[in-house]
Amino acid sequence: VVAAVARVLADKDADLRRQAVLALARFGPAARSAEDDLKRTAAADADKQVRASAGHALNTTFGTDAKTLIPLMTERLKADPD
């Protein structure tokens, strides 16, 4: 199921991508297999809300292991400060 939802992250529709990100966040640690897709979305999605939601989903998915995401999040804040 996680892989199917992660595939939606490549959809043209930003609302669908955001819903997919939110669904992955609800899976919590079970969505770790979508790590690369979520990182790519958090770093480069054209829609600001989708990028922000992907960052939240990564935090939810990784919990206390989220410290491994600090470099990615630091780069996002530099590139997208608001």
Side-chain angles (χ1 to χ4, degrees), residues 16 19 23 25 34 37 44 46 53 55 61 66 71 75 80:
L16 285 177
Q19 291 303 318
D37 297 309
S53 295
T61 301
E75 287 304 311
D80 194 11

Side-chain angles (χ1 to χ4, degrees), residues 24-25 27-35 38 56-63:
L24 290 168
F27 285 128
R32 283 191 176 198
S33 62
E35 174 184 1
L38 284 169
H56 168 72
L58 283 164
N59 185 44
T60 302
T61 301
F62 284 85

Side-chain angles (χ1 to χ4, degrees), residues 62-82:
F62 284 85
T64 58
D65 293 333
K67 62 185 170 220
T68 63
L69 303 171
I70 291 172
L72 170 72
M73 297 305 180
T74 301
E75 287 304 311
R76 280 308 325 139
L77 287 172
K78 288 179 184 176
D80 194 11
D82 54 58

